[in-house]
Amino acid sequence: MPLTPEELDKIAKEVAEEKGEKELKYDKLRYFTDEELKNYTDEDLKKFKIKHDISMIEELEKGPWTSFISDIKREALHRSKLPEDKMMISKEVCEDLLGQLELSYHDKETHWKHGGIVGVFGYGGGVIGRYSDVPDKFPGVAHFHTIRVNQPASKFYTTDYLRTICDLWEYRGSGLTNMHGSTGDIVFLGTTTEQLEPIFYDLTHDLTQDLGGSGSNLRTPSCCIGKARCEYAMIDTQDMCYEMTMHYQDELHRPAFPYKFKFKFSGCPNDCVAAIARSDMAYIGTWKDDIRIDQEAVKAYVGGELKRNAGDMAGRDWGPFDIKAEVIDLCPSQCMSWDGNKLTIDNKECVRCMHCINTMPRALRVGTDTGCSILFGSKAPILEGAQLSLLTIPFMYAERPYDNLKDLADKVFEWWPEEGKNRERLGELIQRQGLRVFLEKIGVRAIPQMVKEPRSNPYIFWKEEDVPGGWKRTIADYRKKHAR
Amino acid sequence: MALGKFGYYNPDKPLENRLTDMGPRHYWQYFPPIIKKNYGKWLYHEVLEPGVLVHVSETGDRCYTVRVGGARLMSVEHIREICDIADKYCDGYLRFTTRNCVEFMTDSEEKAKALKEDLMSRKFPAGSHKFPVGGTGKSITNIVHTQGWIHCHTPAIDASGIVKSVMDELWDYFRNMTLPAKVRVALACCLNMCGAVHCSDIAILGYHRKPPVIDDEVIDKVCELPLVVAACPTGAVGIAKTKEGRGTVRIKEERCMFCGNCYTMCMATPLADAEGDCVVILAGGKISNRGTPPKFSKVVVPALPSNPPRWPEVVQTVKKIVEVYAANANKYERLGDWAERIGWERFFEKCGLTFTEHLLDDYRLAYDTYRTTTQFKFTEDAWEVSRQVKGI
């Protein structure tokens, strides 16, 4: 059964109690006073010059799109006016970062050194060491480590939380972030080794907030907006993401894998978190009953009262809505028909691509018997070339406490760390050993849904037990019938 | 929270009162009341205008969302301004999208309109928008990207600067919904592809083009040589000895495909080079399962010069592809679907791109990309080959 707001209220309370997660109030946790925070005017900002010549990157302040250079300059000005004893690393970090970036723009090469192992006690991930290779010129960024902070599922925030981490990060770090990193974490850009433990202490004690993953471990799982604000979501993406993150904390913080491993959760086949392209184990919501049809609303689309594709094509005149050309003919499995009065869907032939639902969202809705498909093995090119995820589990109900999901992931975690070579992603191991071996390890049989087409070469690696009589025979027996 | 260099942390007793393995905070507390109340009850949504969405619930509630582009790299001052806006209009709640946009949610259309006006009025002193509204539906939304020169040790190109330059040029496509389908642009500053650009409609990729130079003086002290050898997917790295008899590696240069795996494993094999590093353009990938299955982006320009601060060659190439696509594709047709329908030969012709031998796959499974049918279209490229063999 789908989770209700009432159940989620209860779950959240239980979790908070269990973890000692206190309600966050910025005013109780802040580092800076209002006067300290409002320490410059627009006029100051207009006149502000940093200590380095950055005329090349200042070109990137022009144009309409939001300028990261302007933003860093603002932070530089703000820091220059904060009291010295209210910043635990150099107050000039932003200015030196801009200075070093300007140098890179002239040299057309990066000026960050290779790696450097730093972290917090007991964790093998979450912190990435970063050192400047021109520390004499830009001492503020000589040591400039990244901290990954595990983002809340689907990146909703309260301003109390955000203001608190802003204070923390301005006090103990550069005041620069990524919101968010590619995998989903909140990324704190730039602090010294000395500040890592104090930051971790504040995060865990005051914010009940842990770090994310880095290195050869489970990377921070992420999910789409799901049922929080999307009518297509067929699984509780946030809850699955949260539960799997909590269940695999050890795998996330203490690298014991051949390489990185990613879980991603998308509520429907539109796949807004790119699970199919970017995760070793992708959970994508789907349904197994019928698409719900409101025939009156279909007519309203045909009659032009409702706008195609939720109104998001309104910027151009595409002419009147043509249900045949825009829906029926674009259905990849050709399972729909329109007789001028009634839309019919042959649901057993539907491949659930979402096109018709996306195009007429007020007339068509996903089914109500929902779960997820599970796909494995996608990755970017390093090492053996990019791969998309392969469909392996056609359908699985995904309900708390998600034991079936955990059992399946456990089987993968038994096989891949054992067999995978250094820096070999799951998809590459499946490629090297064969899908057949993978299916054996997770205990499912081969089905045609797993392939685009059957193999065209007949080079089948038969096993001895598959062949009548086995492989034990002698040349003498053969020669009884066949002269040499 | 505690003031002072170490706060509550005691460096003499690092494990005292240590808390670990607590994961992220629970997501539910961050949902605004309208989201909590209508969880799982949404009926449909509509894009009211570029950047403004309404979601309608079976309870009758309507949630209005205003979406703004973000630079991904954000200062805490910027985040505080976002918080001020969220406090003023959204009862202190907001969210970020997977493409580094910020979404402000309200419960009334009037508030959403006022919010939109307010957001568009906020500019940096030099003139750029702090909170550009747009990026919904058939538009070009924010470019997902990587760190580049701002904070990474392996990039071939910058990231934020190219993204800024391209988005300035694609501004109208961000602000309006005029395209046949959404166009997802992504940038990765090296082959590691932290930005996972490999399934984007248009991908901008930094690429090294000179084999690593070996730091013989330190390599045997700072790296495990067998690991460096094993890191190479093409077997181009071999163990060798320096004149002084120390262990090192040598590169079979003709085998190097410049992936940088050796450098990831070993700091003594850098690849970066101002002259050699370039920008690759890929096109035609997608992630959504809508209509056609997800697919990879394909390399359509093997190398463009990396010219800071504005990368004009990259900007103009991306813009040209978008414009030709916008003028020619059918409605709902993603860029890759359009290219496949008209044929890649026509894609190159229409976009004015030159097909070179670099675009022929010669890595694993290359033969799968070769055409094995007599079905093709005649373009000037085809006549040129005919002439080369005196066919015409």
Side-chain angles (χ1 to χ4, degrees):
Chain A
M1 288 303 289
L3 288 169
T4 63
E6 295 70 32
E7 280 167 312
L8 282 161
D9 262 334
K10 195 163 150 265
I11 291 163
K13 280 200 189 89
E14 283 166 9
V15 166
E17 203 159 303
E18 195 184 312
K19 283 166 71 174
E21 196 179 89
K22 287 169 267 175
E23 197 187 347
L24 279 186
K25 284 288 165 219
Y26 172 62
D27 277 335
K28 294 208 177 114
L29 295 165
R30 61 192 297 167
Y31 276 107
F32 299 104
T33 63
D34 281 338
E35 294 72 52
E36 283 165 345
L37 290 181
K38 303 273 177 222
N39 65 3
Y40 61 95
T41 64
D42 288 350
E43 257 337 281
D44 296 337
L45 192 53
K46 264 182 215 156
K47 281 185 268 170
F48 178 61
K49 287 263 173 251
I50 73 155
K51 63 175 179 172
H52 305 290
D53 170 19
I54 54 164
S55 48
M56 202 164 172
I57 56 175
E58 277 175 336
E59 283 296 312
L60 293 167
E61 291 196 273
K62 299 171 184 165
W65 186 251
T66 186
S67 170
F68 68 106
I69 300 293
S70 299
D71 185 27
I72 300 174
K73 276 167 88 171
R74 166 164 67 167
E75 181 64 24
L77 171 63
H78 180 53
R79 287 182 81 89
S80 75
K81 295 184 164 233
L82 279 176
E84 291 280 353
D85 66 347
K86 285 272 188 111
M87 285 170 293
M88 296 299 110
I89 70 168
S90 164
K91 72 189 304 177
E92 294 184 338
V93 280
C94 295
E95 300 193 40
D96 281 349
L97 183 70
L98 288 171
Q100 183 174 313
L101 186 64
E102 175 81 6
L103 182 64
S104 279
Y105 269 54
H106 286 279
D107 292 349
K108 300 212 265 185
E109 288 170 11
T110 190
H111 280 288
W112 295 106
K113 279 189 198 176
H114 187 286
I117 295 171
V118 288
V120 297
F121 283 105
Y123 279 11
V127 183
I128 296 104
R130 191 66 74 225
Y131 300 91
S132 169
D133 69 9
V134 277
D136 295 342
K137 279 187 193 153
F138 308 109
V141 295
H143 299 219
F144 206 63
H145 311 316
T146 300
I147 300 177
R148 292 187 185 160
V149 177
N150 194 329
Q151 83 287 358
S154 57
K155 306 183 184 82
F156 280 87
Y157 292 102
T158 56
T159 53
D160 274 311
Y161 174 85
L162 285 180
R163 288 185 200 278
T164 307
I165 62 166
C166 284
D167 274 24
L168 169 63
W169 188 235
E170 196 162 53
Y171 189 81
R172 301 197 178 279
S174 70
L176 299 177
T177 76
N178 286 151
M179 295 298 281
H180 297 74
S182 295
T183 302
D185 297 283
I186 300 166
V187 176
F188 287 168
L189 286 180
T191 193
T192 58
T193 308
E194 185 184 75
Q195 285 301 312
L196 296 172
E197 289 290 350
I199 291 166
F200 182 66
Y201 197 99
D202 282 356
L203 282 174
T204 51
H205 287 76
D206 288 332
L207 287 143
T208 326
Q209 169 66 63
D210 212 332
L211 304 185
S214 68
S216 294
N217 61 8
L218 177 68
R219 296 298 182 88
T220 310
S222 72
C223 64
C224 73
I225 193 166
K227 294 181 182 181
R229 203 201 57 202
C230 181
E231 65 272 27
Y232 302 148
M234 288 168 276
I235 47 177
D236 296 289
T237 53
Q238 287 98 2
D239 203 56
M240 291 166 74
C241 186
Y242 182 81
E243 286 298 323
M244 293 296 270
T245 305
M246 295 309 295
H247 187 74
Y248 292 106
Q249 280 289 295
D250 192 34
E251 285 75 6
L252 200 154
H253 297 302
R254 296 168 194 90
F257 288 161
Y259 201 12
K260 64 180 92 169
F261 192 94
K262 298 186 180 185
F263 290 133
K264 288 191 192 293
F265 306 85
S266 270
C268 83
N270 284 329
D271 195 3
C272 289
V273 281
I276 207 161
R278 303 187 57 181
S279 61
D280 301 84
M281 195 165 178
Y283 304 83
I284 300 179
T286 197
W287 68 97
K288 64 186 181 66
D289 53 349
D290 293 351
I291 292 176
R292 287 171 282 172
I293 309 179
D294 176 345
Q295 296 290 354
E296 289 311 308
V298 176
K299 283 181 206 155
Y301 279 104
V302 174
E305 293 112 67
L306 293 174
K307 289 185 206 155
R308 60 164 72 81
N309 223 70
D312 79 1
M313 299 169 78
R316 201 199 287 194
D317 181 6
W318 291 102
F321 185 68
D322 177 349
I323 192 170
K324 181 165 187 310
E326 297 184 43
V327 179
I328 312 293
D329 292 352
L330 291 180
C331 171
S333 60
Q334 296 289 295
C335 70
M336 312 178 82
S337 60
W338 167 251
D339 66 4
N341 192 43
K342 193 178 173 210
L343 181 73
T344 311
I345 301 175
D346 184 358
N347 279 283
K348 70 178 192 312
E349 297 304 316
C350 171
V351 293
R352 301 169 313 284
C353 86
M354 300 292 295
H355 173 72
C356 60
I357 298 170
N358 288 329
T359 309
M360 303 192 295
R362 293 182 66 170
L364 303 177
R365 299 180 69 192
V366 298
T368 53
D369 193 2
T370 59
C372 61
S373 299
I374 301 177
L375 301 87
F376 292 94
S378 62
K379 53 182 284 294
I382 298 294
L383 294 170
E384 301 277 326
Q387 290 179 199
L388 281 157
S389 288
L390 55 104
L391 176 79
T392 308
I393 310 297
F395 187 90
M396 192 186 242
Y397 285 115
E399 287 171 18
R400 291 177 67 84
Y402 310 109
D403 286 341
N404 51 356
L405 304 183
K406 292 168 189 167
D407 286 349
L408 188 59
D410 284 344
K411 285 177 187 158
V412 176
F413 292 157
E414 273 161 34
W415 178 58
W416 169 62
E418 196 65 39
E419 295 284 324
K421 294 190 289 190
N422 185 33
R423 299 190 76 225
E424 186 172 51
R425 292 281 287 271
L426 175 67
E428 287 161 334
L429 177 61
I430 294 172
Q431 171 115 252
R432 179 161 65 84
Q433 294 205 347
L435 177 56
R436 181 160 90 167
V437 175
F438 177 60
L439 296 182
E440 225 168 73
K441 299 295 174 186
I442 61 168
V444 304
R445 57 161 288 230
I447 53 171
Q449 284 85 344
M450 293 169 183
V451 295
K452 285 180 193 145
E453 58 186 31
R455 67 194 303 162
S456 48
N457 68 69
Y459 299 147
I460 299 162
F461 289 94
W462 289 104
K463 288 184 187 160
E464 183 173 10
E465 60 267 29
D466 292 337
V467 184
W471 291 348
K472 302 284 178 291
R473 56 187 181 140
T474 65
I475 189 67
D477 291 337
Y478 182 80
R479 289 290 166 229
K480 278 181 196 160
K481 287 190 276 181
H482 305 284
R484 199 170 275 144
Chain B
M1 291 185 286
L3 296 173
K5 191 162 159 191
F6 296 113
Y8 293 122
Y9 172 72
N10 180 355
D12 298 328
K13 294 181 178 169
L15 297 180
E16 193 176 63
N17 298 325
R18 198 166 189 81
L19 297 173
T20 65
D21 297 63
M22 56 179 50
R25 287 177 70 90
H26 197 267
Y27 56 90
W28 188 249
Q29 67 196 282
Y30 297 118
F31 289 0
I34 189 168
I35 294 291
K36 277 187 178 164
K37 181 182 162 200
N38 296 290
Y39 180 90
K41 296 178 180 172
W42 299 104
L43 278 179
Y44 64 90
H45 75 283
E46 225 175 276
V47 184
L48 299 174
E49 57 180 290
V52 183
L53 304 129
V54 60
H55 286 80
V56 181
S57 163
E58 63 189 37
T59 64
D61 285 351
R62 300 167 84 84
C63 174
Y64 295 86
T65 301
V66 182
R67 182 181 296 169
V68 305
R72 182 175 114 134
L73 196 164
M74 269 179 201
S75 73
V76 295
E77 277 295 274
H78 199 68
I79 300 170
R80 285 175 181 137
E81 189 168 346
I82 290 171
C83 290
D84 290 342
I85 297 166
D87 282 342
K88 185 170 173 195
Y89 296 95
C90 314
D91 301 320
Y93 296 90
L94 65 133
R95 77 174 289 262
F96 288 79
T97 73
T98 51
R99 298 190 79 87
N100 308 118
C101 292
V102 187
E103 289 185 340
F104 297 96
M105 286 151 286
T106 77
D107 52 10
S108 89
E109 194 163 4
E110 294 72 56
K111 273 195 233 168
K113 290 255 150 72
L115 176 55
K116 195 194 88 174
E117 299 300 315
D118 187 347
L119 290 164
M120 281 304 286
S121 73
R122 291 173 190 247
K123 291 184 175 180
F124 286 110
S128 74
H129 284 272
K130 285 176 178 171
F131 305 109
V133 175
T136 49
K138 305 295 181 266
S139 68
I140 294 180
T141 189
N142 213 347
I143 299 179
V144 288
H145 63 99
T146 54
Q147 298 288 22
W149 294 332
I150 205 105
H151 208 227
C152 182
H153 64 296
T154 66
I157 54 173
D158 189 32
S160 299
I162 303 181
V163 166
K164 161 73 177 148
S165 303
V166 172
M167 283 309 286
D168 278 340
E169 198 67 30
L170 297 179
W171 175 252
D172 287 343
Y173 292 105
F174 174 80
R175 294 276 297 141
N176 295 290
M177 305 185 293
T178 53
L179 292 166
K182 59 177 144 187
V183 173
R184 291 286 180 260
V185 186
L187 179 144
C189 50
C190 84
L191 254 192
N192 276 315
M193 280 198 196
C194 302
V197 304
H198 56 293
C199 295
S200 305
D201 294 274
I202 297 179
I204 302 163
L205 172 68
Y207 209 86
H208 300 295
R209 284 189 302 173
K210 294 190 184 183
V213 279
I214 310 304
D215 194 344
D216 283 341
E217 276 180 30
V218 298
I219 189 165
D220 63 339
K221 297 189 202 83
V222 295
C223 308
E224 294 282 349
L225 299 186
L227 280 183
V228 188
V229 172
C232 181
T234 64
V237 181
I239 300 271
K241 286 258 185 258
T242 63
K243 276 184 205 145
E244 299 77 29
R246 281 203 307 273
T248 186
V249 299
R250 286 292 172 262
I251 310 293
K252 295 180 196 83
E253 295 188 338
E254 71 285 358
R255 276 206 203 172
C256 180
M257 60 176 187
F258 321 101
C259 68
N261 265 302
C262 51
Y263 186 58
T264 297
M265 296 306 290
C266 171
M267 59 76 81
T269 61
L271 288 88
D273 183 273
E275 288 176 327
D277 294 349
C278 69
V279 181
V280 183
I281 305 290
L282 300 93
K286 72 193 273 275
I287 280 160
S288 165
N289 287 275
R290 181 178 188 171
T292 56
K295 51 189 155 204
F296 291 126
S297 317
K298 284 86 182 168
V299 180
V300 295
V301 182
L304 290 171
S306 171
N307 274 333
R310 278 283 176 177
W311 290 270
E313 299 86 351
V314 176
V315 168
Q316 289 314 317
T317 304
V318 170
K319 191 174 187 196
K320 173 86 190 205
I321 294 171
V322 171
E323 283 176 345
V324 176
Y325 159 75
N328 288 277
N330 293 336
K331 52 188 169 222
Y332 307 106
E333 198 170 45
R334 291 288 288 265
L335 201 149
D337 296 330
W338 166 66
E340 284 171 16
R341 176 171 61 79
I342 64 171
W344 283 99
E345 58 270 54
R346 192 69 82 212
F347 171 88
F348 279 88
E349 184 188 59
K350 279 189 180 296
C351 293
L353 300 172
T354 308
F355 194 93
T356 66
E357 73 272 18
H358 308 100
L359 305 184
L360 299 175
D361 195 348
D362 45 15
Y363 194 56
R364 299 189 172 95
L365 311 174
Y367 210 97
D368 292 355
T369 65
Y370 301 159
R371 199 177 298 195
T372 52
T373 165
T374 54
Q375 297 179 15
F376 64 90
K377 292 179 183 175
F378 289 114
T379 62
E380 191 45 45
D381 286 342
W383 301 130
E384 206 176 308
V385 167
S386 297
R387 280 194 290 276
Q388 280 183 318
V389 292
K390 302 191 180 69
I392 51 172

